[in-house]
Amino acid sequence: MKILCVLYDDPTDGMPESYPVNTLPRLEKYPDGMSLPNPKAIDFTPGELLGSVSGELGLRKFLEENGHTLVVTSDKDTKGCVADKELVDTDIVISQPFWPYYLTRERIESAKKLKMAITAGIGSDHVDLQAAIDNKVDVVEVTYCNSRSVSEHIVMMILAMVRDYHNQHKIVNDGGWHIADAVKRSYDVEGMNVGTIAAGRIGYDVLRKMYPFDVHLHYNDRHRLPIEKEKELNLTYHETVESLVSVCDVINISCPLHSETENLFDEELISKCKKGAYVINTARGKIVNREAMAAALESGHISGYAGDVWFPQPAPNDHIWRKMPNHGMTPHTSGTSLSAQSRYAAGVREILECFFDGNPIRNEYIIVQNGDLAGMGAHSYSKGSATGGSEEAANFKK
Ligand code: NDP
C-alpha cells in the first residue's frame, strides 16, 4: 500500500543532534484509565523529533519491511503541491493538526484508492468529514495522546497573560529595567473566576490544574459532569456559554470545531464577555472570529488573547492575529511537544498495525467508519465540513 505522510518542516538548522532531556518520564495510563498507545514495537527513541519530515513519525522501517511505500512531504497547500500529486494513488494519508493537510471534498474525490485518513494528534476538522462519509474513507485520530500536553500549555498561557509575562521578558531582552512599565498590566490569578467552554479531556484537566491556584472555577459543556466531579473542584456549571463568559475573568476554549462551534466567539458573544476578560483558545482558530477578537483587543474590551490555533495553518503572514495588541499566540505547538510526539507516533503505528493485520482499531480512535460517524466521533463530532477557506493557507511564505 502507499502511505502519504504530511509533516511540518525540519528545524531550519537541521535535525537536532542532541536533546535537552535524555529520557522521558514513563506514564502508566491516562487519568480515566485508558491505556497509552501500545503498538507491537516502535523504531524510534521517545523524546526525539518525530513530527517533522525527517522524523517520519518513526514509521519508515516498519512500513518498508512490510512491503509498503511511504512518501513524506511538507508541501501541501499550493496548486500542484507534492501532497496533491501523491494523493491520487494513495491508500492511507497521515496528517497532523499542527501542519494540516486539508482533506477537502475535491482532494478526497481525487484520491480513488483512499481508505483511511489518520490524524497524528487530536482534532480531525481538517478533513471534510461529510466527504469522507460520502466516499467511505475512514477517519481516525489518536485520542488522548496530547490532551494533557495542551492543558499544560493552557495553564502556562493563563499565567503568562494575566501576569503579563511577555512584556516583562521583552523589557529584559531589550536591556531595560523599567519596573512600572513591566507591572502596569500585571495581576495575580488568585481569586479570579476561571471558566472553560467544554470540560472534556483537556477542559477538565485545565480545571484540575488551576484548582490549587485558589480561583473560582466554572464550566459549560453540552453534557453536565457527574456531581462528584463538580464537587471535587467546587465547579459552577453554566447552561449557556453566554452565562459563563459574563462572569469569568479568564475564559478557556476547549471544545472541538464543528458546525455548532464554528464562529462561536463572534462579535455578539465577545461583547457579552466580562469587560477585561482574558481568552485562551487552543481548540481551533475557526471557533473565534478573527476580526472581532482583534477589534476587542484594540478597544480593550478583552485584555488578552492567547492560544496556538489559527485558521488556516500555516497562518498567512498578514494574519491580523500576528499584530493585534496584548496577544500571546504561538504557532500550533501545544500538542506537539517532544513528549506528545512520542505518544502520537506510537498511536499511529498502533492504528496501522491493526489496519494491516485486520484487527479492530480502538473505538476511542474512530471518527468516521464505513460511511458514517462512528466510535468516539459519533459522540464528539457533527457531520459536515469545517475546511471551507483552507486554500488561504497557500498564502504563507516561508
Ligand atoms: P474531548 O472529546 O475529550 O472533549 C471535548 C469536549 O467538548 C466534550 O466534553 C464535548 O462535550 C465538548 N463539546 C463539544 N461541543 C460543544 C459545544 N458546542 N459546547 C460546549 N462543549 C462542547 O476532546 P479533548 O479535550 O481531548 O480535545 C478538545 C479539542 O481540543 C479537540 O477537538 C481539538 O480541536 C483541540 N486540540 C488541540 C490541540 C492543540 O495542539 N492545540 C491538541 C489536541 C486537541 P460532550 O462530549 O459532552 O458532547
Side-chain angles (χ1 to χ4, degrees):
M1 284 198 190
K2 177 172 168 185
I3 292 94
L4 169 63
C5 194
V6 182
L7 301 175
Y8 46 77
D9 286 314
D10 288 349
T12 41
D13 55 355
M15 289 295 274
E17 281 165 15
S18 64
Y19 293 87
V21 170
N22 284 342
T23 48
L24 295 184
R26 194 177 145 67
L27 308 183
E28 294 303 329
K29 55 180 167 35
Y30 297 119
D32 68 355
M34 181 178 158
S35 60
L36 272 79
N38 54 1
K40 287 186 230 163
I42 52 168
D43 299 314
F44 60 83
T45 306
E48 287 180 351
L49 184 59
L50 301 165
S52 72
V53 170
S54 298
E56 301 182 320
L57 296 178
L59 291 173
R60 185 168 297 278
K61 182 167 177 280
F62 160 68
L63 289 173
E64 291 186 344
E65 278 180 0
N66 285 282
H68 304 294
T69 304
L70 174 67
V71 176
V72 184
T73 183
S74 64
D75 184 21
K76 69 178 185 75
D77 293 311
T78 49
K79 274 220 165 332
C81 61
V82 173
D84 283 357
K85 282 190 195 136
E86 297 289 347
L87 182 66
V88 290
D89 60 349
T90 282
D91 296 278
I92 298 173
V93 65
I94 304 169
S95 170
Q96 301 175 105
F98 325 103
W99 187 256
Y101 182 37
Y102 293 100
L103 279 181
T104 57
R105 178 172 290 277
E106 194 187 348
R107 284 186 172 132
I108 288 177
E109 288 177 353
S110 78
K112 300 290 177 225
K113 293 170 76 181
L114 190 61
K115 297 165 186 59
M116 183 162 65
I118 303 177
T119 302
I122 305 172
S124 297
D125 47 90
H126 60 283
V127 181
D128 181 331
L129 295 181
Q130 191 60 52
I133 289 169
D134 297 343
N135 290 277
K136 293 210 161 37
V137 172
D138 291 353
V139 181
V140 296
E141 61 185 45
V142 191
T143 299
Y144 231 143
C145 64
N146 56 10
S147 301
R148 307 239 290 166
S149 319
V150 177
S151 53
E152 279 188 14
H153 203 86
I154 293 169
V155 173
M156 172 184 83
M157 284 181 155
I158 292 174
L159 295 173
M161 296 311 292
V162 173
R163 301 198 64 88
D164 204 24
Y165 166 78
H166 300 90
N167 177 39
Q168 298 170 15
H169 186 57
K170 183 168 183 309
I171 288 172
V172 171
N173 279 351
D174 291 348
W177 194 265
H178 206 299
I179 304 290
D181 279 353
V183 299
K184 66 185 183 196
R185 295 182 59 89
S186 181
Y187 300 94
D188 296 349
V189 174
E190 184 177 2
M192 284 189 166
N193 286 290
V194 176
T196 182
I197 316 289
R201 293 178 184 84
I202 296 175
Y204 190 77
D205 200 48
V206 170
L207 295 168
R208 220 173 50 87
K209 286 179 160 63
M210 288 306 295
Y211 182 72
F213 284 91
D214 291 325
V215 291
H216 307 286
L217 294 171
H218 304 252
Y219 80 101
N220 156 263
D221 200 294
R222 294 200 293 198
H223 303 101
R224 196 162 172 171
L225 291 167
I227 194 75
E228 60 279 11
K229 282 189 115 182
E230 284 190 0
K231 278 197 180 142
E232 188 190 336
L233 303 178
N234 196 19
L235 302 179
T236 303
Y237 174 67
H238 294 258
E239 275 185 15
T240 63
V241 175
E242 286 78 6
S243 161
L244 182 141
V245 301
S246 68
V247 298
C248 282
D249 304 288
V250 176
I251 301 160
N252 170 58
I253 305 172
S254 284
C255 51
L257 169 64
H258 53 96
S259 45
E260 251 175 57
T261 57
E262 185 165 348
N263 210 33
L264 177 68
F265 276 72
D266 58 5
E267 197 182 341
E268 194 185 341
L269 185 65
I270 293 172
S271 74
K272 291 179 181 161
C273 291
K274 184 172 173 183
K275 160 88 178 78
Y278 298 84
V279 179
I280 314 290
N281 175 18
T282 60
R284 284 297 177 260
K286 259 192 170 182
I287 297 172
V288 175
N289 183 286
R290 213 192 271 197
E291 285 73 27
M293 184 51 72
L297 287 164
E298 286 289 349
S299 74
H301 181 64
I302 298 295
S303 290
Y305 181 85
D308 67 334
V309 284
W310 308 66
F311 187 81
Q313 292 184 173
N317 308 68
D318 62 354
H319 194 294
I320 195 168
W321 288 0
R322 289 183 186 269
K323 290 274 155 41
M324 63 192 180
N326 300 315
H327 82 80
M329 297 295 295
T330 61
H332 193 163
T333 51
S334 64
T336 185
S337 58
L338 295 172
S339 324
Q341 288 175 41
S342 71
R343 289 190 293 275
Y344 65 69
V348 170
R349 168 92 179 238
E350 178 192 324
I351 289 166
L352 289 169
E353 285 178 359
C354 290
F355 183 79
F356 295 141
D357 294 349
N359 291 329
I361 294 169
R362 293 188 204 203
N363 215 35
E364 296 103 326
Y365 290 172
I366 293 168
I367 309 298
V368 172
Q369 196 171 45
N370 301 326
D372 207 350
L373 288 176
M376 218 267 308
H379 181 82
S380 308
Y381 286 85
S382 319
K383 293 181 182 177
S385 172
T387 60
S390 54
E391 59 284 351
E392 198 192 344
N395 296 348
F396 175 74
K397 301 273 175 297
K398 284 180 193 171

